[in-house]
Amino acid sequence: MGQGAFGFIKTTGGKRMIEIQNLTKRYGQIKAVTNLNFSVEKGEILGFLGPNGAGKSTTMNIITGYIPSTEGTVKVCGYDIMEEPQEVKKRIGYLPEQPPVYMDLTVNEYLDFVADLKMVDKKKKRAQISEIMDLVKIGDHKNRLIKNLSKGYKQRVGLAQALVGNPEVLILDEPTVGLDPKQIIEIRRLIKALGREHTIILSSHILPEVSAVCERVVIINKGEIAAVDTPENLSRGFNSASKLSATIAGPKSSVLSAIREIYGVKYADVNMEKDKETINYIIESDKEIDIRKPLFFAMARLGYPIIELKSMDMTLEDIFLHIVTQEKEVM
Amino acid sequence: MWAVYRKELRSYFYSPIAYVLIGLFILLTSIFFFLGNLASRVADFSGIVGTMGFILVFIIPVLTMRILAEDRKNGTEVLLLTSPSRLSGIVIGKFLAAFTVFLILTVLTFVYPVIIVLLGGKITAQLVGSYIGFILLGASFISVGVFASSITENQVVAVIVGFVSLLVMWIIDSLAGFIGGFAGKVLSWFSLLSRYEDFNKGILSLSPIVYYISFTAVFIFITIQMIEKRRWSQG
């Protein structure tokens, strides 16, 4: 599979845990994933973001060795998934989209089976399983059949399964899908805690989740990488100016001219007139300059009260939509 | 391999399948035993063992239907294939679990020869031979059933494919004789029955034993290849 003569080189030193080069997956004529390149460093939590059908699950299935790639290489801890799949699989814990649980087993029996399947040392097995059950909080349900558990608990059992064998790398495909808000927060906290010792790739189509948990984000759309950066840089990079929305009670023309005089304001205009006296304005200013204080004093001097003032920084959501729709326009 | 083996065996006895199949089998064989041995005052059980082989055509596909198809349907296949265990070990583990249930079923039928012995009969070489044949036949049938389960995620399809394949293999001799020539020869390679009959006659030679074992190995190998191939083409 074209790994060339360099297949034997191992990235030691534990820096790059996952390296993906020119990864392509084709089904006949259809390209599911095209030319992906990214790497994940030790201890990093990477967010894998994209709309449904963007190729997230396909990529994850390839990294974990469930399906082979058409072209390109995937290396985990320096081992090539095509050449030494066993070595790679030993080091990865995978939670697929649908938790791979056996309905007719109890939680305890299931995790015991997974531990045997992952060839966990017999002596350490019991201790490790109970530790994991404590971690994902399923200890109280350990003797229940998995089919009788709620969706949220099945998801936890799925996560527990990924943790068995204490793999260095965790691949989690939409780990919070189907959970209630309280459970989502718990799972996110757990993932963050796991990130201290594990290298994690986490896929999601929910943006706040990614920005809450991940240090770096790969946005994927139609099988191609659209952006790679930290959540902060992403939101900064797309804002050349900072935007404010201000609702001010006062005559339009004098308010506008007063705003335009403030240092740093690049643009100001009426957004919406609620009534004659109360008008909503959109103000853009240089990124580095915070105009909120000077705006307050300017309006106070004129005697026009500010009813509402809020920042309109782009959320990850906006950026995501921006990237996704931009690509659509190009095509 | 043993992790999968233990889990599958456990699943068999957690679900009603194993009990229903064993119960059904014992019911049928006891009827045969009553009619063929007790009522007709015949002390030879090996003839009934021959008939038991035919019952397997119906029993085995049900025994093996879920063995791979269920993993595919429930998404647990991902767990198995992304684990460090080898695919060959997983498939063989599953095969051995089904084979173990089959052996339990076989051992339970030992009660009939024991009754015959208690009534003054003898364990004949022919009986031992027919049991060896029966066990080998069962292994071959299970390998076909496991294969049928690997081609679909639908257990009903798996059971039908398994049943039809076994039935065709059962009657293939007459089919091969009818077609004749080279094609007939190829078909007769699949004839599990012609070798089985040798055992029932009390002829114990190496070649049918080798035949059954290699038949089983080939089908397990094809099953592994089938799953491998699907990995390359699936979404």
Side-chain angles (χ1 to χ4, degrees):
Chain A
M1 282 260 98
Q3 8 271 341
F6 299 103
F8 62 93
I9 295 178
K10 301 223 156 71
T11 16
T12 44
K15 257 294 172 195
R16 289 199 164 166
M17 296 298 276
I18 305 170
E19 263 190 288
I20 291 165
Q21 283 175 343
N22 305 320
L23 186 71
T24 299
K25 177 73 185 174
R26 264 192 299 268
Y27 299 115
Q29 291 299 306
I30 303 153
K31 279 187 172 181
V33 169
T34 315
N35 221 4
L36 292 191
N37 284 291
F38 65 90
S39 60
V40 192
E41 272 162 28
K42 194 175 171 68
E44 190 178 25
I45 305 180
L46 180 86
F48 208 51
L49 200 63
N52 293 327
K56 291 179 304 225
S57 294
T58 304
T59 309
M60 293 186 142
N61 279 339
I62 294 170
I63 297 172
T64 53
Y66 180 47
I67 55 172
S69 63
T70 314
E71 278 163 41
T73 54
V74 174
K75 281 185 185 173
V76 178
C77 307
Y79 296 101
D80 191 298
I81 183 72
M82 300 301 282
E83 288 180 345
E84 294 168 283
Q86 253 65 34
E87 292 300 319
V88 172
K89 288 171 180 177
K90 257 186 234 170
R91 290 169 172 80
I92 290 187
Y94 183 28
L95 171 62
E97 226 172 333
Q98 193 189 354
V101 292
Y102 286 102
M103 299 295 174
D104 54 353
L105 299 184
T106 66
V107 174
N108 206 12
E109 286 168 342
Y110 171 68
L111 292 179
D112 193 76
F113 165 65
V114 174
D116 287 343
L117 195 66
K118 293 188 176 181
M119 295 176 246
V120 175
D121 192 343
K122 288 263 181 295
K123 288 171 211 141
K124 293 179 193 158
K125 189 169 75 175
R126 285 317 319 160
Q128 194 184 87
I129 288 173
S130 59
E131 195 182 314
I132 289 167
M133 286 199 290
D134 285 345
L135 200 63
V136 300
K137 299 195 179 92
I138 46 173
D140 298 343
H141 301 268
K142 67 179 175 189
N143 292 321
R144 286 183 64 187
L145 287 180
I146 295 177
K147 69 176 161 205
N148 295 334
L149 296 179
S150 69
K151 174 91 175 91
Y153 272 101
K154 279 185 192 136
Q155 192 75 16
R156 282 175 204 224
V157 175
L159 189 60
Q161 161 274 129
L163 294 173
V164 172
N166 199 19
E168 294 161 69
V169 175
L170 291 176
I171 311 274
L172 311 174
D173 198 350
E174 312 224 341
T176 58
V177 148
L179 304 185
D180 66 44
K182 189 167 161 277
Q183 293 171 328
I184 288 177
I185 291 167
E186 276 175 22
I187 293 277
R188 278 185 200 161
R189 201 174 288 152
L190 178 62
I191 292 169
K192 266 201 139 165
L194 289 170
R196 278 182 232 127
E197 282 170 30
H198 300 78
T199 304
I200 301 176
I201 297 184
L202 168 112
S203 88
S204 182
H205 60 266
I206 307 159
L207 297 129
E209 174 161 304
V210 169
S211 55
V213 177
C214 302
E215 289 135 30
R216 217 152 52 92
V217 181
V218 171
I219 296 182
I220 177 172
N221 187 37
K222 298 210 169 111
E224 288 177 64
I225 290 182
V228 185
D229 218 328
T230 61
E232 296 79 32
N233 276 350
L234 275 175
S235 40
R236 215 174 296 147
F238 281 88
N239 292 340
S240 49
S242 53
K243 247 183 183 177
L244 280 179
S245 149
T247 310
I248 297 164
K252 187 164 51 181
S253 54
S254 55
V255 169
L256 262 183
S257 62
I259 293 172
R260 282 174 184 151
E261 274 166 26
I262 297 169
Y263 174 72
V265 171
K266 294 204 297 196
Y267 165 87
D269 211 346
V270 173
N271 182 36
M272 199 171 62
E273 290 188 36
K274 286 189 176 159
D275 55 61
K276 245 189 195 150
E277 288 289 279
T278 321
I279 298 162
N280 180 254
Y281 302 90
I282 293 288
I283 309 162
E284 276 181 34
S285 66
D286 277 339
K287 243 198 306 186
E288 288 76 31
I289 303 164
D290 189 352
I291 62 149
R292 285 175 298 182
K293 283 180 192 168
L295 179 68
F296 168 78
F297 289 118
M299 291 303 121
R301 222 177 298 127
L302 293 169
Y304 303 145
I306 298 175
I307 311 291
E308 191 193 25
L309 183 64
K310 64 180 176 198
S311 157
M312 290 177 69
D313 267 342
M314 273 177 118
T315 59
L316 213 47
E317 208 121 0
D318 297 324
I319 294 153
F320 181 60
L321 279 175
H322 186 73
I323 290 168
V324 172
T325 46
Q326 208 176 35
E327 300 229 329
K328 235 175 249 164
E329 280 156 20
V330 173
M331 292 180 78
Chain B
M1 180 171 103
W2 297 113
V4 174
Y5 170 78
R6 280 194 301 273
K7 187 255 144 201
E8 287 300 326
L9 203 56
R10 184 178 269 167
S11 289
Y12 268 126
F13 289 99
Y14 277 4
S15 75
I17 289 186
Y19 300 105
V20 169
L21 286 183
I22 290 175
L24 209 65
F25 190 75
I26 296 302
L27 177 72
L28 284 172
T29 49
S30 61
I31 293 171
F32 287 134
F33 175 64
F34 178 74
L35 294 176
N37 292 115
L38 296 182
S40 52
R41 295 168 179 276
V42 175
D44 177 24
F45 186 65
S46 63
I48 308 257
V49 178
T51 319
M52 270 156 52
F54 184 64
I55 303 174
L56 289 185
V57 171
F58 304 92
I59 298 267
I60 297 294
V62 181
L63 186 71
T64 55
M65 65 179 181
R66 44 160 286 282
I67 208 145
L68 288 162
E70 194 182 45
D71 277 310
R72 234 173 116 186
K73 182 148 195 163
N74 291 345
T76 41
E77 191 190 43
V78 186
L79 172 71
L80 299 177
L81 293 185
T82 60
S83 81
S85 298
R86 287 178 197 281
L87 177 59
S88 50
I90 291 165
V91 174
I92 292 170
K94 282 175 179 270
F95 166 81
L96 288 179
F99 187 62
T100 304
V101 176
F102 165 72
L103 282 184
I104 293 170
L105 182 147
T106 308
V107 168
L108 288 174
T109 67
F110 287 175
V111 71
Y112 307 125
V114 166
I115 292 171
I116 291 174
V117 169
L118 290 177
L119 293 174
K122 271 193 292 193
I123 304 271
T124 57
Q126 201 179 347
L127 180 67
V128 175
S130 60
Y131 259 117
I132 293 173
F134 180 72
I135 290 169
L136 289 169
L137 183 77
S140 312
F141 277 15
I142 292 168
S143 71
V144 174
V146 169
F147 170 72
S149 185
S150 78
I151 60 172
T152 173
E153 57 173 52
N154 187 321
Q155 296 186 21
V156 178
V157 173
V159 85
I160 291 170
V161 169
F163 168 64
V164 171
S165 310
L166 291 181
L167 200 62
V168 168
M169 284 177 192
W170 194 262
I171 58 168
I172 213 157
D173 258 346
S174 33
L175 206 63
F178 180 73
I179 294 170
F182 179 71
K185 275 223 171 85
V186 171
L187 279 182
S188 64
W189 194 88
F190 287 97
S191 171
L192 293 162
L193 189 63
S194 61
R195 279 93 181 170
Y196 187 49
E197 278 168 350
D198 283 352
F199 283 106
N200 290 336
K201 286 174 199 147
I203 307 165
L204 193 62
S205 63
L206 193 61
S207 92
I209 296 177
V210 172
Y211 168 80
Y212 279 123
I213 293 173
S214 39
F215 182 96
T216 307
V218 165
F219 265 91
I220 289 175
F221 177 75
I222 297 172
T223 305
I224 295 166
Q225 293 310 307
M226 194 76 200
I227 298 170
E228 261 317 307
K229 186 186 148 279
R230 210 183 54 238
R231 274 181 66 218
W232 285 87
S233 56
Q234 79 182 341

